[in-house]
Amino acid sequence: MRCRKVGAAVVTLVALGVAGCSDAGDLSDLGPRTAPGTVTVGSSDGAASRIGALLYANALRAAGTPVQTELGLGPGDAAVAAVERGDITIAPALTGELWERYRPGVAQPTKAKESESENPREQWDAQFVALSAVLPEGLGLGDPTLALDQPMLFVSKDAPAATLRGCEGLSGTVAIPSGSPSDLKARYGCPTGPVVVVPDEVAAARAVTEGRASIAQLGTLSPSARDLTQVADPDGAVPSRAVVPLVRRDGLTVAQTKRLSAIAGELTTADLAQMVAKVESGERTAEQAADDWAKEHPLH
């Protein structure tokens, strides 16, 4: 497990959020636990949400926790709403979507203050602290994973390296699917070439591979992104939508929360994208995909 270390002050602010990386002396900061019997893990309808829920369920079961799953609770934020109501204990969520839910209209922090650090990891930790602080009472977060589910810019694998730091390699035409965010300067903080709207992500990716565009805006979990290279964002300029477990704080023990956080350093965007593609194509069920991943990534 690649555990992310944070300071004691951050642990106090984040409360439940960094349990997986806390020292023993920090556990008192994690809030009350009722040590329930069966933990209920739920998901929304989408393949990514179902897979995320099953990964968390598998992690808890492997540690001896009785788990019940309630998959496909509805579209969009249905699983998040179920956690809020107390119908379920845990659901996979996205950090950026949670921010928009609890602080609508307020810009999500994207960087730590310059006086704090220029380290990208610490910049992300600052974002996570801010999110944890706006959750409704009784809710908490496990550690966010490395898996992102959000629109990003992609270029050809043969293209020169492109990055949001210094806006290098972003001067060409950008193909974006209909309905995708179109104010690219506001989203990425960089000027780009002209924007061309195409019907869908398949068409956007094809525009790059066929040379009709230099850049495509695609979802990070999209199968269309597999043959392209994501534009680097080393400074966290784009507010992240990372997969994270949203939990009822009184529904888990500290040990169970730490078990959820064991997923954090293992699950990557590439992992989740591959599983989603297999499930959506019918090659594997969500249960089979999650089981395959668990076998390849034993948690400690």
Side-chain angles (χ1 to χ4, degrees):
M1 174 183 169
R2 299 181 290 277
C3 196
R4 296 187 288 277
K5 298 294 184 181
V6 294
V10 172
V11 172
T12 301
L13 285 172
V14 175
L16 184 61
V18 293
C21 299
S22 300
D23 296 327
D26 295 323
L27 298 183
S28 62
D29 296 322
L30 299 179
R33 297 293 181 274
T34 59
T38 299
V39 172
T40 304
V41 183
S43 82
S44 298
D45 290 343
S49 182
R50 289 173 179 266
I51 291 166
L54 290 165
L55 294 179
Y56 290 129
N58 285 347
L60 290 171
R61 286 193 183 108
T65 298
V67 177
Q68 174 181 330
T69 57
E70 295 187 9
L71 305 182
L73 293 173
D77 60 1
V80 169
V83 175
E84 292 171 343
R85 293 191 303 268
D87 296 342
I88 60 176
T89 316
I90 306 164
L94 297 174
T95 53
E97 286 191 352
L98 290 175
W99 180 269
E100 293 162 7
R101 183 177 185 85
Y102 301 125
R103 285 294 181 270
V106 178
Q108 183 183 357
T110 56
K111 295 184 179 180
K113 295 178 181 177
E114 292 184 4
S115 60
E116 292 176 350
S117 175
E118 289 300 316
N119 184 290
R121 180 70 270 154
E122 294 189 21
Q123 291 172 356
W124 164 241
D125 288 338
Q127 295 176 40
F128 188 47
V129 169
L131 172 58
S132 298
V134 304
L135 293 177
E137 184 176 357
L139 300 188
L141 302 174
D143 281 352
T145 70
L146 304 174
L148 302 181
D149 183 359
Q150 62 193 59
M152 288 295 286
L153 299 178
F154 289 80
V155 298
S156 168
K157 289 185 180 297
D158 299 328
T163 176
L164 299 183
R165 176 182 287 175
C167 302
E168 297 178 13
L170 301 179
S171 60
T173 298
V174 185
I176 68 170
S178 177
S180 188
S182 58
D183 190 345
L184 303 188
K185 176 67 181 297
R187 177 172 175 80
Y188 301 105
C190 290
T192 65
V195 169
V196 176
V197 178
V198 296
D200 52 33
E201 290 188 319
V202 173
R206 186 182 299 123
V208 172
T209 58
E210 294 178 354
R212 291 179 284 107
S214 299
I215 307 165
Q217 181 169 258
L218 305 170
T220 51
L221 300 184
S222 171
S224 299
R226 284 182 294 182
D227 297 325
L228 303 177
T229 298
Q230 185 176 317
V231 172
D233 183 13
D235 300 319
V238 179
S240 297
R241 288 158 48 105
V243 176
V244 63
L246 178 70
V247 309
R248 301 288 305 184
R249 293 187 60 198
D250 62 354
L252 296 174
T253 65
V254 170
Q256 288 166 341
T257 302
K258 291 181 69 174
R259 190 65 182 174
L260 292 179
S261 291
I263 299 286
E266 298 294 334
L267 181 64
T268 67
T269 303
D271 290 342
L272 187 54
Q274 183 178 57
M275 287 187 280
V276 168
K278 288 182 178 180
V279 171
E280 292 185 341
S281 70
E283 179 180 346
R284 305 292 280 169
T285 65
E287 289 79 5
Q288 289 170 334
D291 288 346
D292 292 344
W293 187 90
K295 292 174 183 176
E296 295 173 2
H297 298 81
L299 303 177
H300 303 289

